[in-house]
Amino acid sequence: MTITRSHTGPIAEPTVPVLYRLADVSKTYTQKKRVVKPLVGVDLVIPRGEFVTIQGPTGGGKSTLLQLLGALDRPTSGRLTLGDTDLAEASNSALGTARAREIGFVFQGFNLIPTLTATENVDMGLEPLGLTAAERRSRVTDALSHVGLADRGDHRPGELSGGQQQRVAIARAIAKRPRVLLADEPTGNLDESMRDEILDLLQTLNEDGLTLVVVTHDSAVARRATRRLRLEKGTIRDITR
Amino acid sequence: MYFTYLRRELSGRTKQTVIVSAGLAIAIALVIIVNALTAGVRDAQTQALESVYGVGTDLTVAGAQQEPDERDDSRFEFDQDGGATADDGSTTLAQSQLRTEMGRGTLAAATISTISAIGGVSSATGALSLTNSTFSGELPQTTDGGTSTEGEAGTPPADGDQQGGGGFGGGSFDVESFTVLGVDPAVQAVGPLSSVTASEGRALDTGDAGQNVAVLDATYATTNDLAVGGTVDVGGTTMEIVGIVSSSSSDTDTASNIYIPLDVAQSLAGVGDVVSTVYVQATSADGIATVRDEIETALPDATVSSQSDLASTVSGSLSSATSLITSLGTWLSILVLAVAVVLAVLFTMSGVSRRTREFGTLKAIGWSNGRVIGQIAGESMVQGLIGGAIGLAIGLGGILAINVIAPTISSATAATEAGTSGRPGAGGPGFASAAQTATDITLSAPLTPWVLVAAVGLAVSAGLVAGAFGGWRAARLSPAEALRSVA
């Protein structure tokens, strides 16, 4: 269950534990001497276990919102919490810890390291956790199995299809066992069949209890979501029917 | 994972790794070779100086240079009994003269005591540099019926032990000269005797004072067919040859043709109780400057020279080699090293720019700044170490090649302008300006452990500098901006 509002009005508390809570969040930055306001007074609550998609026109603030949710950036004003952590006030180190332990990222361009194998790429996501080598090996194997690439662990990204690369990226994100998986146009570089593969995988992960927040232009992705949001001119509204 | 990532990145970016490592390798090899050559040239210079001034001599003290009108011009003088006149009217002449070095004043022997009394002086000894010139020949009857009773020796060639032949009006004569060094037989630790060893017979010892004994340079003895047990004429006095000596260093010559006791030399030359040069050894290297100052205060008219001054008297190809290596070699090393470091820095920073998405992704998945910087620094360091290892190998190869080839360079030690009159002039009377000796020295490139440490240090430093710049750039990279910029 997702609760959103525009600038004013009460926020109804969800009945399930809250993962993200945004209160009057705004973001302003300067780009080429122009002040840009991609987010203006956004209020949003995302409970655990939800599959949320964020749609909207290019430049509407989707990626900015995803970066705030991903602890990659801080809001200019407002309050943003992930569980008990106030991401708006957290130190760089605390943001880094949140990214390392609680948030998984999947990017449109996969962002795998080309010189490393699939296994090693997945392992890179576990690097900051300080796990034992055995635990890391076990998690990497599990994650690759989960995305159906157990037999491709020694392949480098260049030796894999786009869909397989995205699956490796998903394995890297889930190997750390995060509380939320944030995906920015995860099917943007894939053909239709590969897109469906990835969507099936994401849906399975959500059904297993993982919270998903996916930025997309693709209505096919949005149709799989339990909650659909639209971000336009810095403000957000719920378009779930 | 750290090393796996590092290895994969370096092997995956072979071109960059090769260029950076090769640049550093060349620079480090140059540094190693230039340093070894510099040490070799310095050793050669020391050998050249030791052959003349003796092992362990820190300072030399010599008499002031004389003005031209003070000089006792070299000339042979023959009186009525100076030769025998034959029936055909020609006159046979033979005369041997022992003279001090031209144009250079002497010091009273008491100077040695004065210097020895100065604090910081470990040892001091004096030597009297002499040149023995022998005129022998036959002069024809002069047209006016008289006999030439006075003749100038002329200007013989300017190298060491020379024989000058001449003739005029049907006469003929030879001028032969050799160098003689009067040394204190009781002092072996400093001065000319410290750099010679007896190859036959014995060296001079304390009991030789006042005795007509001589020790000959091995080369001079061989050239003149002289041996232990024989005799040699010095200043008209027959001296018994008690030993043949050669330089302690196999690469250099000794300082004189003949060594005789100091008191005998003073007596034969008729110069009184004087010495040409006092050789001084300081108690410590740190005290040399102080000792020098005190000597200059105590003996204002004397010329005091340190090893660095003495080094400036070394000329010939050794001097050229020194100049070449210390100036061109050093600057070339610095230049190449600087270029290599700049190259490494630029490649590293360019690499960080190219890998913006990669580092942004790593930060997004939780890598700390320190971990990213550590990765970049590690890659740069390994590139530096690869360059260092290759440079070390090339450098050692270069040193080995130099030592195998063992090039010979010549050196000459001048004793005229720098006030270093400690060595006997090699020319005879009239040859004062040619008071120098040529020595061929085998150039080696000694390997010192600190060069190895320095090579590794330079490689690591270069890697660190490059890594620091790259890391600084990566640290400034905001993950959000990094991902936005490549989206």
Side-chain angles (χ1 to χ4, degrees):
Chain A
M1 178 181 181
T2 304
I3 295 93
T4 60
R5 70 168 177 81
S6 57
H7 290 39
T8 57
I11 300 172
E13 280 299 320
T15 55
V16 293
V18 172
L19 183 65
Y20 280 111
R21 188 187 299 274
L22 289 78
D24 200 18
V25 167
S26 295
K27 179 67 183 177
T28 306
Y29 59 84
T30 305
Q31 192 173 49
K32 295 178 182 175
K33 297 181 180 176
R34 260 185 60 232
V35 176
V36 180
K37 294 182 177 178
L39 296 176
V40 182
V42 172
D43 294 317
L44 175 65
V45 173
I46 301 177
R48 284 185 187 173
E50 201 156 38
F51 183 171
V52 182
T53 57
I54 303 171
Q55 294 174 276
T58 300
K62 302 187 298 296
S63 293
T64 302
L65 177 59
L66 202 67
Q67 285 171 0
L68 294 182
L69 296 176
L72 293 172
D73 207 350
R74 295 187 187 86
T76 308
S77 63
R79 184 176 166 82
L80 166 59
T81 58
L82 168 62
D84 296 328
T85 307
D86 185 350
L87 299 180
E89 300 294 329
S91 65
N92 284 339
S93 168
L95 292 181
T97 302
R99 292 198 299 268
R101 297 182 178 280
E102 309 203 33
I103 303 166
F105 272 102
V106 175
F107 305 94
Q108 179 177 355
F110 322 134
N111 292 19
L112 299 175
I113 295 170
T115 54
L116 300 180
T117 64
T119 298
E120 290 159 352
N121 264 291
V122 175
D123 199 16
M124 294 294 270
L126 301 177
E127 179 82 13
L129 299 183
L131 303 173
T132 63
E135 173 70 5
R136 282 171 67 163
R137 270 197 303 276
S138 166
R139 286 203 189 192
V140 169
T141 305
D142 286 351
L144 283 174
S145 298
H146 210 100
V147 299
L149 289 176
D151 59 340
R152 298 296 180 98
D154 57 350
H155 285 61
R156 295 193 185 187
E159 299 164 342
L160 299 171
S161 69
Q164 288 171 328
Q165 288 186 55
Q166 193 61 297
R167 281 196 274 165
V168 172
I170 292 170
R172 180 177 64 189
I174 64 173
K176 67 173 77 168
R177 295 172 186 168
R179 295 167 74 179
V180 60
L181 181 68
L182 306 178
D184 191 358
E185 301 282 7
T187 57
N189 284 356
L190 304 177
D191 63 27
E192 202 168 305
S193 68
M194 285 183 182
R195 179 195 68 187
D196 290 341
E197 273 181 30
I198 295 302
L199 289 178
D200 290 343
L201 176 58
L202 290 175
Q203 198 154 25
T204 304
L205 291 170
N206 178 244
E207 286 164 5
D208 290 343
L210 180 63
T211 306
L212 296 180
V213 179
V214 179
V215 166
T216 184
H217 281 105
D218 190 343
S219 55
V221 177
R223 276 198 296 273
R224 306 256 188 153
T226 54
R227 175 68 58 184
R228 294 164 61 191
L229 304 174
R230 184 168 181 83
L231 190 59
E232 202 165 359
K233 295 181 181 175
T235 59
I236 198 162
R237 61 192 172 92
D238 192 334
I239 57 169
T240 312
R241 295 191 188 106
Chain B
M1 194 62 211
Y2 178 83
F3 291 104
T4 304
Y5 185 25
L6 194 151
R7 182 165 46 84
R8 291 289 173 77
E9 282 303 316
L10 292 180
S11 59
R13 300 172 206 279
T14 316
K15 190 178 171 186
Q16 175 181 330
T17 304
V18 167
I19 291 174
V20 171
S21 299
L24 286 172
I26 292 168
I28 286 165
L30 257 177
V31 169
I32 291 173
I33 292 172
V34 166
N35 273 286
L37 270 178
T38 304
V41 168
R42 204 177 295 123
D43 288 350
Q45 206 168 39
T46 304
Q47 282 178 17
L49 289 171
E50 284 179 350
S51 71
V52 176
Y53 300 103
V55 177
T57 299
D58 296 316
L59 297 166
T60 61
V61 183
Q65 196 158 8
Q66 289 178 324
E67 294 300 321
D69 58 0
E70 296 179 77
R71 293 183 177 180
D72 178 16
D73 287 334
S74 171
R75 48 195 289 146
F76 287 94
E77 294 186 2
F78 301 97
D79 56 21
Q80 294 293 335
D81 301 324
T85 305
D87 293 341
D88 61 358
S90 65
T91 302
T92 303
L93 298 170
Q95 191 179 85
S96 186
Q97 289 183 344
L98 201 55
R99 291 175 180 273
T100 56
E101 185 183 340
M102 296 301 299
R104 175 64 57 185
T106 53
L107 296 165
T111 306
I112 301 170
S113 304
T114 306
I115 293 172
S116 296
I118 292 173
V121 172
S122 166
S123 177
T125 187
L128 182 60
S129 305
L130 301 168
T131 302
N132 189 96
S133 302
T134 302
F135 181 99
S136 61
E138 186 181 273
L139 300 180
Q141 186 178 21
T142 55
T143 52
D144 60 359
T147 300
S148 173
T149 57
E150 183 174 300
E152 291 289 335
T155 305
D159 51 355
D161 178 23
Q162 292 292 327
Q163 290 191 357
F168 50 87
S172 66
F173 62 88
D174 290 323
V175 177
E176 184 182 347
S177 69
F178 54 84
T179 57
V180 178
L181 197 58
V183 294
D184 184 350
V187 181
Q188 307 276 343
V190 64
L193 288 184
S194 62
S195 62
V196 297
T197 51
S199 53
E200 287 178 47
R202 62 177 177 80
L204 295 177
D205 60 31
T206 309
D208 290 326
Q211 304 296 314
N212 290 337
V213 293
V215 166
L216 272 54
D217 168 67
T219 307
Y220 179 78
T222 304
T223 306
N224 293 278
D225 202 20
L226 297 168
V228 174
T231 60
V232 61
D233 185 283
V234 177
T237 300
T238 302
M239 313 289 284
E240 181 191 354
I241 302 170
V242 296
I244 305 292
V245 295
S246 54
S247 171
S248 306
S249 165
S250 59
D251 298 322
T252 57
D253 298 332
T254 59
S256 179
N257 299 138
I258 297 176
Y259 298 83
I260 62 175
L262 178 60
D263 53 354
V264 175
Q266 289 167 337
S267 172
L268 291 177
V271 294
D273 197 13
V274 298
V275 293
S276 306
T277 306
V278 179
Y279 298 85
V280 184
Q281 188 176 47
T283 50
S284 73
D286 297 339
I288 292 174
T290 309
V291 170
R292 177 181 184 153
D293 290 344
E294 292 195 25
I295 293 174
E296 285 176 338
T297 304
L299 305 167
D301 294 332
T303 303
V304 184
S305 304
S306 65
Q307 279 287 352
S308 57
D309 297 328
L310 303 181
S312 68
T313 69
V314 175
S315 59
S317 60
L318 175 57
S319 175
S320 305
T322 308
S323 172
L324 188 71
I325 287 168
T326 53
S327 53
L328 179 64
T330 303
W331 283 112
L332 189 64
S333 300
I334 292 171
L335 184 69
V336 173
L337 193 62
V339 168
V341 170
V342 169
L343 206 64
V345 168
L346 291 178
F347 266 106
T348 305
M349 293 185 74
S350 156
V352 170
S353 294
R354 275 203 317 275
R355 294 163 72 186
T356 297
R357 176 203 293 260
E358 184 177 317
F359 293 133
T361 303
L362 290 175
K363 287 188 176 186
I365 64 176
W367 279 43
S368 64
N369 259 339
R371 179 67 181 79
V372 173
I373 291 169
Q375 191 70 39
I376 295 166
E379 291 173 16
S380 297
M381 188 91 80
V382 170
Q383 283 175 342
L385 285 173
I386 292 171
I390 296 171
L392 199 62
I394 296 172
L396 292 177
I399 288 175
L400 183 67
I402 291 168
N403 289 332
V404 167
I405 295 167
T408 301
I409 54 178
S410 69
S411 75
T413 44
T416 52
E417 299 306 322
T420 52
S421 62
R423 68 159 305 283
F431 308 151
S433 63
Q436 62 175 10
T437 187
T439 303
D440 282 340
I441 295 176
T442 303
L443 181 64
S444 64
L447 178 65
T448 48
W450 79 262
V451 170
L452 302 179
V453 175
V456 175
L458 279 175
V460 171
S461 301
L464 276 176
V465 169
F469 277 98
W472 169 74
R473 184 156 188 151
R476 292 177 64 231
L477 206 61
S478 149
E481 285 175 14
L483 293 171
R484 194 183 299 138
S485 69
V486 295

